[in-house]
């Protein structure tokens, strides 16, 4: 899968996308992520991206004439789009915004089947509605009912959740593909886990887990499931 990200803060993606499982997935070429600085498509000498809202009100709005050319550049393979590869098909274009539909595991699994995603990170008060109404966005998504400073962290959350659905990204033991969404979500909410040592300070691992009685362990776990 290829994921392009349009953001005012590409440096924010260093770390979350280069470490751990996502880093390994990229090294193994299971996942190609390209972050592009929206400022490249800024207007005028100061590369302006935002402007005051028509009708007044607080905050600034991201300009349609900056965001749309950026989206089109990714779609068309503009040379400003670093690492652009041809034949990736049309990207599925997502705007991260608190106005969007709530991201769920069902949505994550649908997105994981796409070959190419384009994530647009909203900032300031929002993005000029014509970016959406004109068809440059296929889907608006929110990661929850709270307001963040921008769409970057939501984009990273989305990338992480989607990436672990790609075959080969997780190790065999944790393979997401073998589990239905409800199963994997349930497993993550399952019973509390313990490992060595048996006693830490005066906190003991529950006796039932040490006994090796599978039926009893199963019952205990059922009772402790969130
Ligand atoms: N931008 C700001 N807050 C957001 C949220 N909760 N989800 C997606 N994008 C956002």
């Amino acid at each position: 899968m290829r994921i392009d990200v349009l953001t005012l803060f590409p440096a924010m993606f260093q770390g979350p996308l280069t470490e751990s499982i996502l880093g390994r997935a990229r090294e193994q070429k299971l996942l190609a992520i390209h972050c592009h600085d929206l400022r490249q498509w800024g207007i005028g000498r100061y590369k302006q991206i935002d402007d005051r809202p028509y009708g007044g009100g607080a905050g600034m709005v991201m300009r349609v004439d900056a965001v749309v050319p950026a989206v089109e550049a990714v779609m068309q393979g503009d040379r400003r789009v670093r690492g652009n590869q041809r034949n990736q098909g049309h990207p599925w274009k997502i705007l991260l915004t608190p106005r969007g539909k709530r991201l769920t595991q069902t949505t994550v699994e649908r997105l994981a089947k796409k070959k190419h995603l384009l994530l647009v990170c909203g900032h300031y008060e929002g993005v000029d509605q014509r970016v959406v109404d004109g068809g440059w966005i296929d889907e608006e998504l929110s990661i929850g009912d709270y307001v963040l400073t921008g769409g970057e962290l939501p984009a990273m959350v989305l990338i992480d959740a989607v990436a672990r659905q790609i075959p080969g990204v997780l190790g065999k033991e944790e393979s997401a593909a073998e589990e239905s969404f409800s199963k994997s979500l349930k497993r993550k909410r399952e019973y509390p886990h313990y490992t060595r040592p048996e006693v830490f300070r005066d906190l003991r691992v529950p006796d039932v887990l040490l006994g090796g009685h599978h039926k009893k362990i199963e019952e205990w776990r059922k009772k402790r499931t969130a």
Side-chain angles (χ1 to χ4, degrees):
M1 174 187 280
R2 175 183 171 120
I3 303 178
D4 283 276
V5 182
L6 289 168
T7 168
L8 284 165
F9 302 99
M12 280 180 75
F13 290 80
Q14 281 298 314
L17 301 188
T18 53
E19 294 292 321
S20 186
I21 292 169
L22 290 187
R24 196 181 61 206
R26 294 176 77 181
E27 276 167 22
Q28 293 176 340
K29 311 273 186 229
L30 297 168
L31 182 62
I33 304 173
H34 300 279
C35 298
H36 315 286
D37 190 345
L38 261 173
R39 191 71 60 189
Q40 293 179 95
W41 290 275
I43 310 297
R45 193 141 68 96
Y46 300 104
K47 297 283 172 200
Q48 194 185 348
I49 290 291
D50 60 322
D51 215 328
R52 283 168 301 163
Y54 279 122
M60 301 289 267
V61 177
M62 280 166 79
R63 289 177 60 132
V64 61
D65 52 351
V67 176
V68 166
V71 170
E72 287 176 338
V74 172
M75 293 169 70
Q76 292 162 6
D78 189 297
R79 66 186 157 71
R80 277 178 290 189
V81 179
R82 193 170 41 83
N84 211 354
Q85 297 159 15
R86 302 210 171 261
N87 305 321
Q88 286 291 330
H90 294 293
W92 183 252
K93 305 180 293 301
I94 297 168
L95 174 66
L96 284 313
T97 163
R99 285 169 48 84
K101 194 179 65 188
R102 180 89 63 88
L103 181 67
T104 63
Q105 187 66 20
T106 310
T107 304
V108 165
E109 288 184 11
R110 171 167 55 79
L111 297 177
K113 297 196 181 94
K114 308 265 184 206
K115 280 209 174 73
H116 188 183
L117 300 178
L118 166 56
L119 309 182
V120 180
C121 302
H123 245 274
Y124 310 112
E125 275 310 294
V127 176
D128 190 305
Q129 185 60 28
R130 289 170 290 184
V131 175
V132 177
D133 293 347
W136 288 281
I137 291 296
D138 298 307
E139 186 167 22
E140 294 175 87
L141 291 175
S142 159
I143 63 160
D145 289 341
Y146 39 81
V147 182
L148 300 165
T149 53
E152 281 73 16
L153 288 168
M156 289 183 239
V157 167
L158 174 60
I159 291 169
D160 188 285
V162 167
R164 66 185 290 289
Q165 297 298 322
I166 299 171
V169 167
L170 296 183
K172 266 212 183 76
E173 260 187 36
E174 260 213 73
S175 177
E178 287 167 22
E179 287 185 320
S180 69
F181 109 75
S182 54
K183 254 194 189 158
S184 78
L185 197 61
K186 202 170 147 212
R187 198 162 63 82
K188 294 292 179 196
R189 285 182 179 159
E190 244 169 14
Y191 53 84
H193 304 273
Y194 299 88
T195 186
R196 293 188 300 176
E198 259 181 57
V199 185
F200 175 71
R201 312 270 159 94
D202 49 4
L203 299 168
R204 299 189 61 84
V205 174
D207 279 341
V208 60
L209 299 180
L210 306 172
H213 193 304
H214 295 299
K215 192 104 200 267
K216 279 189 180 157
I217 292 174
E218 210 179 297
E219 280 166 16
W220 179 88
R221 285 180 167 170
K222 228 178 233 158
K223 256 192 267 162
R224 295 295 307 266
T225 296

